[in-house]
């Protein structure tokens, strides 16, 4: 396993981060335990979760993933061996979380942190992330932007001050963002510096061979400001594993189970682009999933790649991506595809 620093801290996190959003929905607790055991044995020391999980979010299941991780931590007695990242939901109409519109205000952030600590059965969270902004912005694949003069959102300085209180109390160690824009990251960093408040160390955004928009704007900030990317959806909801090629729909896959929820990568050019990547992988005797993951791992703005798996075979394949190499020729071929179909699934 390879490791990188989390932001400007001395914490080493594995280049592969274990994503957990299927636990409690597609995976049982027993299967989650098996995945964590294998991941740790392979050198993975970084787990990512959220109060929202499992996905798709439902009133009946939210928080179950954190409970599974908490039960594992309690059973394995290895809290100091893993870096735990979790998230608070952003502004939404999912009132079943806290019986009201979710907002990133003091009351709800504090309640969310305390809830996560209880479910995770720990007294501290290593990395606490804002799952998406309180303001209206371009995330989850939204295009275009229209400024609303009367827009009401929780002030970013207020959000940082609330998080700062929890850092000082020891409930969280460090903070990060998710589904954020260049303006958002820049504003958080500016206020942290000017107001002597905790600094955002990471940005968890989608990044894969079907969506390379992070490279425009955010990648430069990540490198210059030491706020690296935690790349989620690195296989584009499984499309870059090749399992959906030729109109296949494997039984039990997320697209088969929740097709109407996972629409981000179901676009007109998706099949054509994946065919290009598949041919590159086959010609160079590479596994398509491993090639897709490795391309992300070698980027200088990436801190860790968050992999998710529903089977142990998938997990083993994904973790082994750290041990393959991509030649300059392969990288150039991948970049040529991007010129033909630039970001087909933003």
């Amino acid at each position: 396993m390879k490791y990188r620093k989390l932001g400007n801290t001395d914490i080493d996190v594995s280049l592969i981060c274990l994503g957990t959003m299927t636990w409690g929905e597609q995976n049982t607790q027993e299967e989650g335990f098996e995945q964590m055991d294998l991941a740790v044995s392979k050198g993975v020391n970084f787990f990512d979760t959220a109060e929202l999980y499992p996905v798709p979010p439902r009133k009946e299941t939210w928080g179950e993933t954190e409970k599974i991780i908490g039960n594992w931590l309690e059973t394995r007695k290895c809290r100091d061996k893993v870096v735990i990242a979790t998230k608070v939901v952003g502004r939404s109409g999912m009132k079943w979380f806290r019986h009201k519109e979710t907002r990133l205000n003091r009351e709800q952030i504090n309640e969310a942190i305390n809830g996560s600590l209880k479910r995770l059965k720990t007294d501290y969270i290593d990395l606490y992330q804002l799952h998406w902004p309180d303001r209206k912005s371009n995330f989850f694949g939204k295009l275009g932007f229209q400024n609303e003069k009367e827009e009401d959102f929780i002030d970013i300085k207020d959000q940082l001050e609330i998080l700062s209180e929890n850092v000082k109390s020891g409930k969280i160690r460090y903070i990060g963002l998710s589904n954020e824009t260049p303006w958002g990251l820049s504003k958080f960093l500016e206020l942290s510096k000017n107001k002597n408040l905790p600094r955002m160390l990471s940005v968890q955004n989608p990044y894969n061979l079907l969506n390379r928009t992070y490279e425009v704007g955010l990648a430069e900030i990540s490198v210059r400001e030491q706020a690296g990317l935690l790349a989620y959806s690195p296989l584009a909801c499984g499309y870059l594993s090749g399992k959906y090629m030729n109109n296949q729909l494997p039984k039990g896959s997320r697209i088969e189970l929740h097709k109407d929820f996972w629409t981000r990568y179901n676009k007109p050019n998706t099949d054509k682009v994946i065919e290009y990547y598949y041919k590159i992988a086959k010609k160079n005797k590479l596994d398509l999933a491993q090639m897709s993951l490795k391309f992300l791992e070698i980027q200088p703005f990436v801190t860790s790649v968050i992999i998710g798996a529903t089977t142990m075979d998938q997990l083993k394949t994904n973790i082994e991506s750290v041990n393959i190499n991509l030649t300059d020729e392969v990288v150039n071929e991948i970049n040529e595809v991007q010129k033909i179909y630039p970001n087909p699934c933003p």
Side-chain angles (χ1 to χ4, degrees):
M1 183 53 62
K2 296 177 175 63
Y3 302 86
R4 289 184 179 166
K5 297 295 182 186
L6 178 62
N8 59 359
T9 74
D10 290 328
I11 295 181
D12 291 311
V13 294
S14 47
L15 187 52
I16 292 293
C17 175
L18 182 61
T20 64
M21 71 177 186
T22 60
W23 304 351
E25 181 69 41
Q26 288 176 263
N27 289 107
T28 64
Q29 173 168 287
E30 182 181 3
E31 291 168 335
F33 276 31
E34 190 178 13
Q35 287 193 30
M36 287 183 274
D37 288 341
L38 175 71
V40 170
S41 75
K42 296 292 185 179
V44 174
N45 72 344
F46 195 16
F47 296 174
D48 177 74
T49 189
E51 64 168 347
L52 176 79
Y53 295 167
V55 172
R58 294 189 289 125
K59 179 181 179 180
E60 296 78 14
T61 59
W62 77 271
E64 287 300 313
T65 305
E66 287 185 326
K67 290 178 183 177
I68 290 172
I69 297 171
N71 291 338
W72 182 85
L73 289 172
E74 183 179 53
T75 303
R76 300 301 188 261
K77 310 294 183 186
C78 61
R79 178 64 185 90
D80 60 333
K81 300 290 194 303
V82 290
V83 177
I84 301 292
T86 191
K87 316 177 198 74
V88 53
V89 297
R91 187 173 186 172
S92 78
M94 295 183 286
K95 295 184 179 180
W96 31 266
F97 268 97
R98 283 175 272 281
H99 309 293
K100 63 187 77 173
E101 179 187 24
T102 54
R103 301 297 303 272
L104 296 178
N105 56 30
R106 173 172 277 98
E107 176 192 2
Q108 294 204 43
I109 288 178
N110 287 338
E111 184 177 341
I113 289 173
N114 290 332
S116 288
L117 288 170
K118 182 177 180 180
R119 288 185 292 272
L120 290 167
K121 296 184 178 180
T122 183
D123 54 5
Y124 68 95
I125 295 163
D126 296 290
L127 179 65
Y128 198 66
Q129 304 155 102
L130 307 182
H131 208 153
W132 60 85
D134 192 85
R135 67 187 193 279
K136 295 180 180 178
S137 187
N138 290 23
F139 48 88
F140 298 140
K142 182 179 178 182
L143 298 175
F145 179 75
Q146 184 174 355
N147 186 34
E148 298 182 15
K149 293 182 180 179
E150 303 302 321
E151 183 183 0
D152 166 40
F153 64 87
I154 307 299
D155 188 87
I156 288 177
K157 182 173 73 70
D158 292 344
Q159 295 176 47
L160 280 170
E161 287 175 344
I162 299 160
L163 293 169
S164 177
E165 292 167 5
N166 283 279
V167 171
K168 290 176 180 177
S169 71
K171 291 183 178 181
I172 57 178
R173 298 177 67 193
Y174 301 108
I175 57 175
L177 295 168
S178 184
N179 298 296
E180 192 49 272
T181 67
W183 181 88
L185 175 56
S186 297
K187 197 67 178 176
F188 271 100
L189 292 173
E190 173 193 336
L191 287 167
S192 294
K193 181 178 180 179
N194 294 339
K195 302 297 182 180
N196 194 30
L197 291 165
R199 192 173 184 278
M200 292 296 176
L201 300 180
S202 59
V203 183
Q204 185 177 148
N205 273 26
Y207 181 54
N208 54 61
L209 292 183
L210 298 182
N211 177 7
R212 293 174 60 180
T213 54
Y214 197 91
E215 295 174 16
V216 183
L218 274 164
E220 181 181 6
I221 305 176
S222 283
V223 172
R224 295 186 186 278
E225 299 293 339
Q226 293 181 285
L229 170 64
L230 306 181
Y232 82 74
S233 199
L235 293 179
C237 293
Y239 280 95
L240 287 166
S241 70
K243 65 183 179 182
Y244 299 121
M245 291 178 65
N246 302 317
N247 296 315
Q248 295 182 87
L249 196 60
K251 188 72 174 176
S253 65
R254 70 180 67 175
I255 304 302
E256 191 265 340
L257 291 172
H258 309 290
K259 187 174 183 179
D260 292 337
F261 184 82
W262 301 106
T263 59
R264 189 182 301 185
Y265 300 103
N266 184 19
K267 299 294 168 58
N269 289 325
T270 297
D271 291 340
K272 295 178 183 178
V273 178
I274 292 172
E275 182 66 28
Y276 272 105
Y277 289 135
Y278 175 77
K279 289 178 180 178
I280 294 171
K282 185 176 181 180
K283 184 178 77 171
N284 291 280
K285 298 180 180 179
L286 295 168
D287 177 87
L288 175 58
Q290 291 182 340
M291 183 187 80
S292 301
L293 292 170
K294 191 66 181 185
F295 184 84
L296 311 190
E297 293 167 12
I298 63 177
Q299 303 306 319
F301 53 86
V302 170
T303 296
S304 190
V305 177
I306 305 172
I307 62 169
T310 53
T311 72
M312 293 299 288
D313 285 341
Q314 291 172 350
L315 184 60
K316 291 172 185 176
T317 297
N318 293 348
I319 292 177
E320 280 301 310
S321 65
V322 298
N323 295 319
I324 71 164
N325 294 307
L326 296 188
T327 64
D328 291 341
E329 180 183 1
V330 172
V331 172
N332 290 336
E333 289 184 68
I334 289 172
N335 286 328
E336 285 300 313
V337 177
Q338 179 72 11
K339 294 177 183 178
I340 301 170
Y341 292 104
N343 295 315
C345 303

